[in-house]
Each structure stands twice: as structure tokens, then as C-alpha cells.
Amino acid sequence: MDETTSLSPTVSQRDQWMVESQVFQIYQLFATIPPNAQSLMLELQRDKHIDFLTKGLRHLGPNFSVLDANRPWLCYWIIHSIALLGESIDDELHHNTVEFLNRCQDPNGGFAGGPGQMPHLATTYAAVNTLITLGGDKSLASINRDKLYGFLRRMKQPNGGFRMHVEGEIDVRACYTAISVASVLNILDEELTQNVGDYILSCQTYEGGIAGEPGSEAHGGYTFCGLAAMILIGEVNRLDLPRLIEWAVFRQGKECGFQGRTNKLVDGCYSFWQGGAVALLQRLDSVINKQMSEALNISDIAEEKESLDGTSSDAACYRWHEGMSESCSADFKNIGYNFINEWRAKDPLFHSIALQQYILLCAQEQDGGLRDKPGKRRDHYHTCYCLSGLSLCQYSWSKHPDSPPLPKAVLGPYSNLLEPIHPLYNVVLERYREAQEFFVGGS
Ligand SMILES: CC(C)=CCC/C(C)=C/CC/C(C)=C/COP(=O)(O)OP(=O)(O)O
Ligand SMILES: [Zn+2]
């Protein structure tokens, strides 16, 4: 390779520079305009977003036929976004959505991507979260929990993981969606949780993040899924949390938003997947401190032992992981179940104002809807996950989910404030509480 070839940029470098230049142009423009114009630029276009979302729930054009096996997802992305904005849909749309999802429910349990299709864990998660978000007895009672439990058991694999559907892939998404619905519907038991922790642990990579499957690359989407699932089953202390934090926080770059994996482009949806993982880690203070102090003690002991008998520090590190699972599991077993009440938040571990800036200035379309990055088109998926990330940012300093954030925590006018979410399930907190009352309190 001659010198010229070695100096020419790679395709990924060019893509990165293009995105940086588009983002910085927006920030430069923002910096040069008067404060009242800045305030307008930072305003969340609530009415336009509601308009874009409600239209999508009533009618979608022929281009959407590619999402025919994802119809409960469209319901979730849209209805959750509307709930985050503090609004709800009218009675007729509410009724029609419950009826539609009921037609997606398989007689043998689980929800399919559309009526007559095969049940799938991802669309089951989307349907359950939608019905919880809609709320009300009719919506909540429409979920056949006994049959759903049977579906989850059929998807369970001997290695601890779950399959997405019959003969489908086994991955960390499947673990999260199965555990999340079982947990929120109060049907989680030992048969479902058995060895899930081993499977997820086998997906934590040398970088510190979590991959979709053992041996793959760490990715924000799977990292959120793996971490949330580990919290829900009370085994989060088994992950190497200091490395996970380091990997996750360094995914926020100079564009102010998050990337999904090392050396890839910023994308608004990772405001939730990565921002959500960091928000969860922020609340695991005591587990992380315990891991760190145990690591220090162990490495002191390891050094001493190595000087005595030449045992390698790798072996000591392995023992540290083994020891952790025994010594901590009793203390932290309940952390998943009590998570929302234990809201012992520290200051955010990510730059919350910078992320809000990316979401409002780069991901928001002034005509409604949010997107991946400047130059891309709005869509319902990115609208949902950009708004979910924005909500996390706004409450990231709050010591308790019920205390409204201080104005300085909310970038732009205070009217930008969204509803708080439960960070493990990504449903609006108030709707989660109603579901808890229905599935746990009442039964
Ligand atoms: C609950 C549930 C079903 C969660 C799904 C989580 C999730 C978003 C997983 C990401 C999947 C993935 C490998 C995307 C990479 O896409 P890419 O290569 O186009 O994007 P990138 O360049 O940003 O990595
Ligand atoms: Zn995206």
C-alpha cells in the first residue's frame, strides 16, 4: 500500500465527517441566533408530534406494508409516544386498538405481528406494553396471562435463553422481552428465570457492553435488554458493571447524542437504548460500589498470592466473578422487584443537557415526528425512542420519580417536560402503576 492509499479516508470516516459537519452546522446556527429564537428552536413541537402520531394510528400508506409483521410495534411506538406527551387517544381509537391487539393474540398464548400470524416475543412485548399504556380494566383484562405464560415456557431454551418464536433466533432481545412481560404481568417464576443470567453473562464482551449473542459485538440495543433483564431477575451483580458503565458512557460523542456501537454513527434512538442503560446503571450505585471495593480487595489478595505461588491474575479475576455471584446475590436478589422504589439516583453519568440538545435540535422535525439524524426522515420508531430518551434526560437529576424536575434539568421551555417512564419496561410510570395494581395488587 503506498502513502496516498494509506492516507485516503475510509467510507466510515467519510460518513462520520459528513454527520459531524451537518450536526455542527446546526449547533453553529443555534449559537449565532438571538435568545428568543434559540428558545423557539429548542421547543418541543407537541401539537405537531401529536398530529403526526395520531394520523399514523388511523391510516398508514402502502409503503408501510413492509411492517406488516410489526403492527403491535406501530401501536406501541405511537401510543407510548402520545402518553409521553401527556395525551391520550379518543375512546373509539382506544377501543379499536384493544380489539386489534386481541385479534393478534394467539389462542395458545402470545401476540403475533398481525392477525393470523405466528406469536413472537418482540410483538408480545409491544402488545403488552401498548395495552398497559392504554390502561383501563378492559384493556388489561384482554391479556390472557395463563396462555401467555405457556408461550413463554415454550420459548424457553435449555441454555437459559429464549427463542423469539418457534424455530426463531435465541438472543438477548428474546431474554428481555420474555422477562419484561412476565415481570410486568406478575407471572415471572423460577422456571422462566432459570439460567437466563448465565446466558446474558455469556454475551458481555471484552468492551464491557452486551452483544445479541455470545461472540458478537457489544451493541446499545442489546446492552439495554441484557442489563434490564439482569435487574429484573435480581442477578445484575453478576455483570462486570464498572466495565459496562465505561463502555456505555463513552458511546456519547461530540455530536452530543449516542452511537449504538464503537466507531458507528450517532442515532437518536440510542438516546433511549444507551441513555436508558446509563440511567439504570446510575441507580445501581451500591451494587457497583460493592463490586469495585471487592475488586480492589481481590486484586490486593491476588497480587499477594501471585508473589507467593505465581498464580495468574486472570485466574484471580475469574474467582472474583465467581465470588461475586455468591456473595452478592442474597443482598441484591430483590433489586429488580424494588427497583422503582429504590430510586437512589446520583447525578447523571451521561451529559443529559447535551443529549437533550441533540434530540431537540438534530432529531426533531419541526413539522412533527423525530428521526435518527439530520438528513434522515422522521418515523414512528425514532419518535418513540427519542421521546423516551428525552424523558429520561429530564428526570435524570430527580431523587424521586414523583418529584418534578428543576427547570435547569429541562433544556428549552419548561413546557418541554414529558411524563416520567419506568426505565426497566419503558412505559409511562403512571400506567405501570395502574398495571401493578391490576396484576399484583388486585389478584
Ligand atoms: C426490546 C427490543 C426488541 C429491543 C431491540 C434492541 C435493538 C435496537 C437492537 C439493535 C439491533 C441492531 C444490531 C441494530 C444495528 O443496526 P445498524 O447496524 O443499522 O445500526 P448501527 O450502525 O447504529 O449499529
Ligand atoms: Zn435508530
Side-chain angles (χ1 to χ4, degrees), residues 267 269 381-382:
D267 178 341
C269 67
Y381 165 82
H382 285 93

Side-chain angles (χ1 to χ4, degrees), residues 19-51:
V19 173
E20 277 176 28
S21 104
Q22 279 172 309
V23 167
F24 296 156
Q25 262 178 37
I26 294 173
Y27 293 160
Q28 241 158 24
L29 168 76
F30 179 77
T32 55
I33 60 176
N36 57 338
Q38 285 186 338
S39 187
L40 277 177
M41 247 178 111
L42 287 173
E43 194 175 327
L44 188 66
Q45 300 299 323
R46 286 176 171 274
D47 294 346
K48 301 271 190 199
H49 296 320
I50 291 286
D51 197 41

Side-chain angles (χ1 to χ4, degrees), residues 153-422:
R153 286 293 299 276
R154 291 196 298 283
M155 295 305 107
K156 179 79 183 171
Q157 299 301 304
N159 68 358
F162 288 84
R163 271 192 203 282
M164 292 303 287
H165 56 89
V166 173
E167 293 182 17
E169 61 276 36
I170 304 169
D171 62 28
V172 171
R173 256 176 337 154
C175 295
Y176 168 67
T177 48
I179 297 295
S180 173
V181 296
S183 162
V184 79
L185 298 176
N186 195 25
I187 52 172
L188 189 61
D189 65 7
E190 286 216 355
E191 309 291 337
L192 294 175
T193 57
Q194 207 171 45
N195 300 332
V196 178
D198 293 346
Y199 180 79
I200 295 175
L201 204 56
S202 73
C203 297
Q204 184 167 25
T205 79
Y206 70 95
E207 287 193 281
I210 300 173
E213 299 163 86
S216 293
E217 184 183 4
H219 192 282
Y222 299 115
T223 298
F224 172 82
C225 291
L227 178 62
M230 288 298 255
I231 295 171
L232 287 168
I233 62 171
E235 294 185 28
V236 73
N237 56 297
R238 297 181 66 195
L239 289 166
D240 185 340
L241 295 172
R243 281 183 90 154
L244 180 44
I245 291 188
E246 179 153 317
W247 177 82
V249 298
F250 280 108
R251 304 282 66 77
Q252 186 175 25
K254 52 182 159 210
E255 309 86 342
C256 296
F258 277 98
Q259 62 182 180
R261 44 184 163 145
T262 313
N263 287 329
K264 296 291 311 255
L265 302 176
V266 64
D267 178 341
C269 67
Y270 300 124
S271 308
F272 176 76
W273 300 117
Q274 299 284 25
V278 179
L280 294 176
L281 289 162
Q282 190 182 320
R283 293 176 176 82
L284 295 172
D285 209 18
S286 57
V287 194
I288 293 164
N289 286 341
K290 187 157 183 166
Q291 278 198 0
M292 284 186 162
S293 61
E294 292 220 8
L296 286 175
N297 289 342
I298 292 282
S299 61
D300 291 342
I301 297 164
E303 248 178 54
E304 228 178 271
K305 197 166 185 321
E306 203 167 343
S307 68
L308 288 174
D309 65 12
T311 319
S312 83
S313 54
D314 272 355
C317 190
Y318 178 68
R319 278 201 310 276
W320 169 62
H321 278 288
E322 279 206 320
M324 278 301 299
S325 49
E326 275 164 36
S327 67
C328 289
S329 56
D331 297 9
F332 299 112
K333 196 77 197 158
N334 283 329
I335 202 155
Y337 311 114
N338 295 331
F339 195 75
I340 201 68
N341 301 322
E342 305 220 351
W343 200 272
R344 39 168 184 239
K346 301 196 303 178
D347 286 352
L349 295 170
F350 64 109
H351 201 311
S352 151
I353 295 294
L355 184 55
Q356 293 181 60
Q357 177 176 306
Y358 181 80
I359 296 169
L360 293 168
L361 296 183
C362 299
Q364 175 171 232
E365 285 207 15
Q366 292 300 309
D367 271 347
L370 291 99
R371 62 192 175 190
D372 162 345
K373 57 175 71 62
K376 296 268 183 182
R377 297 187 61 175
R378 66 185 179 181
D379 62 67
H380 301 105
Y381 165 82
H382 285 93
T383 302
C384 165
Y385 289 106
C386 286
L387 291 179
S388 305
L390 187 60
S391 166
L392 282 174
C393 288
Q394 294 171 337
Y395 293 87
S396 59
W397 273 280
S398 303
K399 297 290 172 217
H400 194 275
D402 293 320
S403 48
L406 293 173
K408 70 171 187 200
V410 178
L411 185 65
Y414 198 70
S415 59
N416 281 359
L417 186 65
L418 296 170
E419 296 298 311
I421 56 168
H422 192 304

